[in-house]
Amino acid sequence: MPSPEETTEAAREYLADHPETEDALVALLERDADGEPWNFAEIALDSGEFGEFISRDLAKNIDDGYRLQHPDALRAALDADGDFDDTTAPDSSTTPTAAATDQSSSTTQASRMWIAGLVDGDLGTVAGLVGALVAVAAARLVAAPAVFRDGYVVSPANDTYFFRYWQERLAARATGIFDFGLFADMGGAASTRPLSHAVNWWVTVLFGGVEAAPTIAAWLPVAAAVGLGYVVYRLTRLLTGDVRVAVAAVLFYGLAPVNVVYTSVGFLDHQAHQYLWLGLLALALLALAADVAKRVDTAASEEATSVFPTRAHAMDARMWAIAVGLAVAVAASAHTWGGSPLTFIPVAAVVGLRVALDVRHDVSPVYGNAPLVAGLTVGAGIAFAAHRWLGWHESIAAVTPLLVAGGALAVVVAGEGWHRTDLPATGLVGLEAIVAGAGLLAYRTLRPQDVARFRTRAEDLFFREGATETVSLFSPDFAVVFGPLLQLGLGFYFAVAVLAVATWAVARRYEPGWLVLICFAWYYTLLATIQVRFAGQLAIFIAPFAGIGLVYLLAAVDITRPVDVLGRAYNTRDAGDTTRSQRLTSAGDDVDTSLLDRVEDSDDTQEVSTLRLPSSTGKRGYLVATVALVLVFNLILVPPLVGQTTHDRAQFDAAQTIDTHADSSDRAYPENFVLSQWGDNRMYNYFVSGEAQGYGYAQSNHDQFLTAEDPDGWYDQFQGRVGYVVLTDRENAPSENTAYAALYEGLGTGVNNTTATGHYQLLASVDGVRTFAIVPGAVIEISDPTGNRVTATTTVTLGDETQTYTRSAPVSNGTATIRVAHPGEYTVGNRTVSVTSTDVLDGNQTRVDRDGASHVATSSSVSVISSRVEWM
């Protein structure tokens, strides 16, 4: 039972949402003062207002009707609102100072109420939510030391630099935040993830332009993750009515390692946008479903026909406002990432199963789903318009929402017809499957090119190999069951049992809101089973179930107040003497309801709208220790997974070394292109040339180059296309006599019994990262030498070490030609030859004659410069 203070706060919030009900509440206070129970027919609230009044625990259900929970608390709320009586109105004698003080106090109180309204609770609840959101942000700052380096933002992973590439180029082109024409002229950025790129450049321009791009790249993912944390809170609170579960859900979402990776500081990719819009999409669907269920539950308590509550739902302006939000979420989700058609599969499942639930429980599908279908249809229209008029995304991304919206309309209409018959609801599910199959067959016939594109995209998403994120969540490499632990933390194990129980329950009762969450959770579990990349989305939808599981565990050991497994869905009690267990078996099935019965037998199984610690010191300690243990265990799993995506200091230094060398050598793109392992390629090229649009060349050529027998033989292929090579240690390194052995192990200078190269100049070798400049190399030509082979030797300083660099060549037609990649004083036989850095970079040739003279010729000139050489 809520305290009087909690009831007063709840009444104030109710009045803020429904100011038109003040007169009705005054009359209700007078009616309740008679001391007799009252029912819905005796009061002036409509069904929606009455349902929400009950959901806020302002009245309690007794045998013969209802009584107010705390009449004095409701009266206090009406007094504070100023309309119950006029005793609080200031009179004309009030001094200006007192009036100002009252106004300030009123403003402060209004601010507090506004903040409390955002979280649907008191200030203690606000503090709990803020703490959870701080934890969400803190987890995403684990990578901060690796991201913020020497005034640069070094984003993790590889694809982030593709988004930064377009972010900076589009922001540079924008004339301001009102440059709407740029949305229709984004070039290659419009191809697969247009909305993500559009938001990135727009926010960048909003906060100062290109100069602010690194800052936005660093903090936008964190901000989106915190925003999604609030969405998870609202979603969970709406379903469970339990603030403890909602805050726990935020923490489980916020500390899920795989989700942290994709939304960590600096990780400017499509995931931050995709996850947020996906959460908003699910929240809109759930809010619409929850409202219908609440109205139906209230009507059932009054033994009214189900058509009236659903009609009230369809006529409620608030539901149409949510439908507008749904439309925006649909349109945004269609253009956020390349695989956006996958987003709408669970939406289609929700609509199909929702209509079947409506029919089974005698609820009108047309009225109950009118705002939902309208939101899907308008959102699909917006998505298609963006494709048609702005050139955004592929046709399949724009057509998929239209297919879902059209299918939803057909299913709802068919469901309404089915509702008017006596046929079983299971038959409707079969009809829906037939309609869906027929629709897909017709689409395949009419749009074969789209179907072919679907197949191509599916292959890209599900059958691409070589990336860590393409393995299964339940990989045998981690004994199957430990994969979820590493990617999702302990929350997965708390969630899976509750998800199974909730699925069992929804199959037997009318809980369309839980249906939304269950469909999304199972769907992303399936996708994550195929590829672990989808575990990031799964973390969002299992978080509420994980929160329930944790709080139920704490209640089971008597540390905290009890919690219903389904969390008092929609914040209403069952009507009359019917228990939740009885409603579960209303379909005629014998199910094990002991778990639910245990909760229902407790007087404390009510909406928990506040956070409070147990009064017992011992229980308080156990509670804090248990929660801390669970969360700390999750937090321990975050740094190792995040560390797999960040670039270490040696890699960043390699990029800076190349950038410095390219500037001093006057090399511009593509002559300063960096060839590296494809997983790091965009990072190197972003910091060297800014050209981080693709890594296709590196992916196609890097491994072939490493296994080549003669690295110098690749120079002609690299000329004008590749300027630098970065090599790192490889577990399965190519065998000896390969480019990898010559460069990584031999440093290009011939150490470790390898062959020295003539086109690869080592710039740096730090912590297993070898950085080379590809150079034409200086040519030493020796005329009329003695012997069959000539050798040129010098010393090369590599960091703190000095090594011997030796190159040799056979004598042919009385001449030997030796190409060297390092400047220095070379010993050739009994002579010394000076080679400068300019000679190496320009490919100049030094000819040594029998008379001891040497002649240097540039690669672009026939002029000869004479000099003398010293005889040894």
Side-chain angles (χ1 to χ4, degrees), residues 24 27-28 31 37-51 53-54 64-67 298-304:
L28 180 57
R31 172 66 182 81
W38 42 266
N39 57 44
F40 173 67
E42 300 179 57
I43 63 176
L45 299 176
D46 64 31
S47 61
E49 295 165 346
F50 177 69
F53 189 79
I54 298 298
D64 299 324
Y66 296 90
R67 294 295 305 277
T298 302
S301 68
E302 300 298 326
E303 299 182 355

Side-chain angles (χ1 to χ4, degrees), residues 176 209 237 254 356 427 487 589 629 654 840 846:
R237 184 72 188 276
Q487 301 290 337
D589 298 306
L629 177 63
V840 172
T846 300

Side-chain angles (χ1 to χ4, degrees), residues 292 310 313-314 350-351 354-355 358 364-374 412 510:
V292 172
T310 53
H313 167 80
V350 166
V351 175
R354 162 79 183 277
V355 171
D358 290 342
S364 171
V366 165
Y367 287 119
N369 292 281
L372 186 153
V373 173
V412 168
Y510 188 66

Side-chain angles (χ1 to χ4, degrees), residues 239-304:
L239 278 178
T240 67
D242 194 320
V243 67
R244 303 167 302 168
V245 173
V247 172
V250 175
L251 290 171
F252 277 119
Y253 146 75
L255 299 180
V258 66
N259 194 283
V260 173
V261 167
Y262 287 126
T263 55
S264 64
V265 61
F267 207 103
L268 189 70
D269 210 315
H270 65 81
Q271 282 91 349
H273 304 281
Q274 177 194 348
Y275 293 172
L276 180 58
W277 285 113
L278 179 62
L280 291 170
L281 175 65
L283 179 60
L285 292 171
L286 191 150
L288 292 173
D291 183 74
V292 172
K294 219 166 36 169
R295 294 174 189 273
V296 169
D297 221 12
T298 302
S301 68
E302 300 298 326
E303 299 182 355

Side-chain angles (χ1 to χ4, degrees), residues 83-391:
D83 288 327
F84 186 67
D85 58 44
D86 59 359
T87 58
T88 60
D91 57 30
S92 59
S93 63
T94 303
T95 65
T97 302
T101 302
D102 290 343
Q103 183 178 3
S104 175
S105 176
S106 176
T107 302
T108 302
Q109 183 179 9
S111 300
R112 290 178 178 175
M113 291 184 63
W114 180 80
I115 295 173
L118 287 177
V119 299
D120 195 16
D122 59 13
L123 292 182
T125 303
V126 173
L129 175 59
V130 170
L133 295 179
V134 168
V136 172
R140 281 147 184 82
L141 295 179
V142 168
V147 171
F148 298 107
R149 294 186 185 275
D150 302 340
Y152 293 90
V153 173
V154 186
S155 292
N158 192 42
D159 289 348
T160 53
Y161 292 95
F162 171 77
F163 286 84
R164 294 183 65 175
Y165 169 86
W166 283 113
Q167 173 201 22
E168 295 177 6
R169 274 152 183 75
L170 293 173
R173 289 176 52 198
T175 58
I177 59 174
F178 299 109
D179 186 2
F180 300 117
L182 186 57
F183 289 109
D185 186 26
M186 295 200 304
S191 59
T192 53
R193 307 168 188 89
L195 184 63
S196 296
H197 295 303
V199 172
N200 290 345
W201 77 252
W202 191 87
V203 174
T204 301
V205 173
L206 177 66
F207 284 93
V210 178
E211 294 77 11
T215 302
I216 299 301
W219 294 107
L220 184 60
V222 179
V226 172
L228 181 55
Y230 179 72
V231 170
V232 170
Y233 173 86
R234 296 303 307 181
L235 185 151
T236 308
R237 184 72 188 276
L238 179 62
L239 278 178
T240 67
D242 194 320
V243 67
R244 303 167 302 168
V245 173
V247 172
V250 175
L251 290 171
F252 277 119
Y253 146 75
L255 299 180
V258 66
N259 194 283
V260 173
V261 167
Y262 287 126
T263 55
S264 64
V265 61
F267 207 103
L268 189 70
D269 210 315
H270 65 81
Q271 282 91 349
H273 304 281
Q274 177 194 348
Y275 293 172
L276 180 58
W277 285 113
L278 179 62
L280 291 170
L281 175 65
L283 179 60
L285 292 171
L286 191 150
L288 292 173
D291 183 74
V292 172
K294 219 166 36 169
R295 294 174 189 273
V296 169
D297 221 12
T298 302
S301 68
E302 300 298 326
E303 299 182 355
T305 176
S306 63
V307 69
F308 296 111
T310 53
R311 182 177 295 171
H313 167 80
M315 298 177 66
D316 191 333
R318 295 172 302 168
M319 296 305 104
W320 288 100
I322 294 174
V324 171
L326 174 62
V328 175
V330 167
S333 297
H335 293 291
T336 301
W337 67 299
S340 62
L342 292 174
T343 303
F344 298 100
I345 294 178
V347 176
V350 166
V351 175
L353 295 175
R354 162 79 183 277
V355 171
L357 274 182
D358 290 342
V359 172
R360 183 180 182 184
H361 294 274
D362 194 27
V363 175
S364 171
V366 165
Y367 287 119
N369 292 281
L372 186 153
V373 173
L376 291 178
T377 303
V378 173
I382 296 173
F384 186 81
H387 167 70
R388 181 72 175 173
W389 295 330
L390 300 181

